[in-house]
Amino acid sequence: MTNEARSQVNIKLISTIRPIDGESESQEMWLTGQLLEKAGSLYLKYEEVLDDKIIHTTMKLGNERALIMRAGAVNMRLPLNIMEQQTGHYDSEFGSMPLVIHTKNMTFSKQAVSGDFRVQYDLLMGGQSVGNYTLDITFTEVQ
C-alpha cells in the first residue's frame, strides 16, 4: 500500500502570456482541487472548463523541477527544469506538436497545506519562440 496524503485546496491561478508579437494577456482562475503528497513528491490536481470542455490538470511541484500534465480537451506534457531545456508535447484534434521549454525562473514554497508556486518559461514550437509564459499558483486548504 502506498503512503499518500490528500487535502482539498482552494487554488488561485494567474496565467500570463507574452507572445512574441502581440499584446500580453493574463487570465485569473479560482478553482478547487486536491493536494497530494505521494512518495516524497507533491502534486496539485484540478479541473478547468474551457469552452464547455473539461481539462484535467496534474502538476508535480518543486523548486528546480516541475511537471504539468493536462488531459481531456487538451493533452499536454510540459516538463519544467531550471537547469536545462526540456522537451514536451501538445496534442489537439489537429495532431501532436513537440514543444521545447526553457525555464527561466521557478520558486515553490509550502507551509502545511498551503503554498505558492511560480514559474516563468519560454515556449518554442517548431523551433520558433511563441512567447514567454508566467504561471502564479497559490493554494490553501479548504476550511
Side-chain angles (χ1 to χ4, degrees), residues 2-72:
T2 60
N3 196 4
E4 188 178 291
R6 284 179 188 251
S7 301
Q8 289 291 112
V9 290
N10 290 318
I11 301 165
K12 179 184 177 185
L13 186 148
I14 301 171
S15 174
T16 305
I17 302 167
R18 288 175 197 83
I20 293 303
D21 49 358
E23 295 289 313
S24 181
E25 182 182 319
S26 279
Q27 183 178 21
E28 183 175 308
M29 288 187 276
W30 292 84
L31 307 159
T32 303
Q34 291 185 324
L35 185 68
L36 289 99
E37 196 162 348
K38 187 174 181 180
S41 293
L42 205 59
Y43 298 87
L44 190 61
K45 295 177 79 167
Y46 57 90
E47 290 182 353
E48 297 172 59
V49 178
L50 184 66
D51 299 328
D52 295 327
K53 295 179 180 153
I54 295 174
I55 302 168
H56 304 277
T57 301
T58 302
M59 299 181 67
K60 183 177 182 181
L61 303 174
N63 279 311
E64 293 180 355
R65 292 172 172 257
L67 177 64
I68 302 171
M69 295 171 289
R70 301 174 89 193

Side-chain angles (χ1 to χ4, degrees), residues 60-129:
K60 183 177 182 181
L61 303 174
N63 279 311
E64 293 180 355
R65 292 172 172 257
L67 177 64
I68 302 171
M69 295 171 289
R70 301 174 89 193
V74 169
N75 292 301
M76 181 179 77
R77 184 175 191 284
L78 196 73
L80 302 160
N81 184 334
I82 199 75
M83 301 297 186
E84 60 187 11
Q85 280 191 158
Q86 298 289 295
T87 56
H89 63 84
Y90 178 89
D91 299 330
S92 70
E93 66 264 21
F94 307 111
S96 182
M97 181 164 301
L99 305 172
V100 175
I101 304 98
H102 175 74
T103 307
K104 299 168 101 176
N105 193 343
M106 186 170 8
T107 57
F108 174 53
S109 62
K110 178 184 174 286
Q111 307 82 32
V113 188
S114 66
D116 294 291
F117 176 76
R118 178 181 167 90
V119 64
Q120 186 178 16
Y121 59 94
D122 287 331
L123 190 61
L124 291 85
M125 290 181 170
Q128 299 292 314
S129 176

